[in-house]
Amino acid sequence: MKITDVELFEVKPRWIFIKVNTDEGVSGWGELISGTKTRTVVEGAKELAERIIGRNPFEIERLWQELHRSFFRGGPINGTIVSGIEMALWDIKGKAFGVPVYELLGGAARDRIRVYSWIGGDRPSDVAEQAKSRLDRGFRAVKMNATEELHYVDTYDKVKAVVDRIASIREVCGDDIEVGIDFHGRVHKPMAKVLAKALEPYHPMFLEEVVLPENWEVFDKIANEVAVPLATGERLYTRWEYKTLFQQGAIDIIQPDVAMCGGILETRKICAMAEAYDMAAAPHAPYGPIALAATLQVDACTPNVFIQEQSFGIHYNQGFDILDFIENKDIFQFEDGYVQIPDKPGLGLVMDEGKIRQISAEGLVWRNPAWKNYDGTIAEW
């Protein structure tokens, strides 16, 4: 079997799908993250795709090494391109052998996968009503953004607003629902420890990206301040960028992104490294259906994954949602806050290719919100 060509589709609201075709009629699908650089990602993907034409799609590790190990390597652009191509190759291999991808990675380690649901937290901020809605639908865990824009040192009113939001969830739902709180890297060191301490009495499931990952040395300080699990990892690429976290030992939950960190096998390797350090995993996956399906393949065979993100109804999905571009919509059927492990070959998806081509023809422009602090300085989003 040989790779014959690679196609790219820019799909609203903010996804890039990649299709790798072979001379035996077996095709695989992957997903890339557009972020704020859609054109850059697409053109980069076209350039790297040229290197795999005529190659054996089964040689996933060999191709991954060739695509990753350029002189200038890593980073979000190359990371997501390699990830998208890699998951498409696994999709081909699973389909060719007639098994889900996780069967090629050691087989299932669990019977079902626990998931949590997004409820906003910044804009929109009506989290109590949303949390109750998720609880009524069977979810026992949600995640929310902690705060809007926050300066290096800000007012206690901002802290109180965050505390009031999580308190409102506890008032409505009690302790029947677990709440992950995502600082989103918006909070700087002086306020991060204040905010973490203020939220501790409400027993968060975890605090995510309490500071940006480049400020990793702060994780240790906050870990010593609060008895709440700390999580990070969505902006780290490949196992090499995780080494510092493992050596430091302050992070309790890693969050590799299958569509960013290097793909399915790289995510599995990162999680295995974390397991050796007695760390949990909760993979990052707030994007489209292919990235979610690929992540579930990792979850199925990875024992230290304890919960999975999914983005059905997330406020960024304007116009289209996860199910709109797949035909076998039952693959993402949630029941009592769980999803069954996939049982169809490859990634388990049947893509609605006609609709993908139709919507992709309209083009894609997506930019994350641009925020400023009260004094006009740039705020992290």
Side-chain angles (χ1 to χ4, degrees):
M1 186 182 292
K2 301 294 181 185
I3 296 169
T4 55
D5 69 286
V6 177
E7 300 177 86
L8 286 146
F9 305 94
E10 301 166 38
V11 181
K12 297 176 182 178
R14 56 186 189 132
W15 309 325
I16 302 171
F17 297 160
I18 186 168
K19 184 185 181 189
V20 178
N21 300 308
T22 70
D23 60 355
E24 295 187 18
V26 182
S27 298
W29 290 85
E31 184 175 331
L32 292 69
I33 297 170
S34 65
T36 57
K37 301 178 178 71
T38 302
R39 297 264 53 78
T40 307
V41 172
V42 169
E43 293 306 314
K46 290 178 181 177
E47 185 175 10
L48 281 188
E50 293 173 0
R51 303 186 188 181
I52 67 172
I53 302 299
R55 304 292 296 276
N56 179 356
F58 288 1
E59 295 183 345
I60 298 173
E61 181 67 35
R62 186 199 298 263
L63 293 175
W64 189 93
Q65 292 284 339
E66 291 180 18
L67 294 175
H68 167 70
R69 292 171 65 176
S70 58
F71 185 79
F72 296 106
R73 64 187 68 177
I77 304 300
N78 201 64
T80 195
I81 293 168
V82 174
S83 298
I85 292 172
E86 193 261 11
M87 68 178 80
L89 297 179
W90 279 111
D91 195 26
I92 290 170
K93 195 162 190 173
K95 288 173 179 175
F97 284 95
V99 296
V101 169
Y102 65 81
E103 293 288 9
L104 304 174
L105 297 173
R110 56 169 31 88
D111 301 322
R112 56 181 182 166
I113 301 163
R114 190 183 182 210
V115 296
Y116 65 80
S117 183
W118 260 98
I119 59 169
D122 48 12
R123 300 172 180 142
S125 61
D126 53 334
V127 290
E129 181 180 338
Q130 292 187 56
K132 182 62 166 61
S133 170
R134 303 306 192 274
L135 186 62
D136 292 342
R137 285 156 47 190
F139 289 98
R140 293 295 180 268
V142 295
K143 186 169 81 173
M144 57 180 278
N145 282 322
T147 180
E148 299 179 328
E149 52 268 58
L150 208 64
H151 219 315
Y152 277 82
V153 177
D154 218 316
T155 65
Y156 194 75
D157 287 346
K158 294 279 189 72
V159 175
K160 185 176 184 301
V162 176
V163 172
D164 287 348
R165 280 195 286 273
I166 185 69
S168 71
I169 294 176
R170 289 289 175 240
E171 289 171 8
V172 172
C173 302
D175 292 324
D176 292 337
I177 199 162
E178 293 187 77
V179 185
I181 304 177
D182 188 357
F183 285 31
H184 215 255
R186 297 171 182 170
V187 187
H188 300 279
K189 174 186 172 183
M191 297 303 296
K193 56 186 180 182
V194 173
L195 196 57
K197 197 70 174 177
L199 290 170
E200 185 177 21
Y202 297 92
H203 308 125
M205 178 169 57
F206 54 75
L207 300 178
E208 178 176 341
E209 274 200 333
V210 289
V211 293
L212 288 166
E214 54 259 40
N215 297 323
W216 59 267
E217 67 279 358
V218 180
F219 293 140
D220 202 26
K221 295 177 174 60
I222 295 177
N224 289 329
E225 289 285 332
V226 297
V228 180
L230 300 184
T232 198
E234 69 186 68
R235 305 191 217 198
L236 300 179
Y237 322 104
T238 75
R239 72 205 90 146
W240 290 279
E241 288 206 350
Y242 275 85
K243 287 198 299 182
T244 300
L245 292 186
F246 297 143
Q247 292 165 356
Q248 182 190 42
I251 292 298
D252 305 289
I253 303 163
I254 59 160
Q255 298 172 302
D257 190 316
V258 170
M260 181 65 76
C261 75
I264 290 173
L265 184 54
E266 190 66 14
T267 303
R268 184 65 189 91
K269 291 176 180 179
I270 292 167
C271 290
M273 292 172 69
E275 185 182 7
Y277 285 89
D278 203 23
M279 296 164 67
H284 184 251
Y287 302 109
I290 305 173
L292 179 57
T295 309
L296 295 181
Q297 298 293 331
V298 176
D299 297 339
C301 61
T302 305
N304 56 327
V305 169
F306 79 100
I307 200 164
Q308 176 57 54
E309 179 174 30
Q310 53 83 24
S311 61
F312 279 81
I314 195 171
H315 48 294
Y316 305 125
N317 292 352
Q318 299 295 320
F320 296 96
D321 211 333
I322 300 292
L323 298 179
D324 291 333
F325 296 101
I326 61 174
E327 294 181 1
N328 58 327
K329 303 181 189 305
D330 59 331
I331 187 174
F332 299 131
Q333 195 167 48
F334 304 127
E335 185 176 350
D336 295 329
Y338 289 85
V339 64
Q340 295 301 312
I341 62 173
D343 59 4
K344 291 181 173 58
L347 299 182
L349 293 174
V350 180
M351 304 303 297
D352 188 342
E353 191 166 338
K355 189 169 186 179
I356 290 170
R357 292 184 182 277
Q358 174 193 347
I359 300 303
S360 179
E362 299 177 10
L364 174 63
V365 177
W366 188 86
R367 296 184 179 92
N368 61 247
W371 289 358
K372 291 186 178 182
N373 292 309
Y374 54 81
D375 59 359
T377 54
I378 297 298
E380 297 287 347
W381 171 72

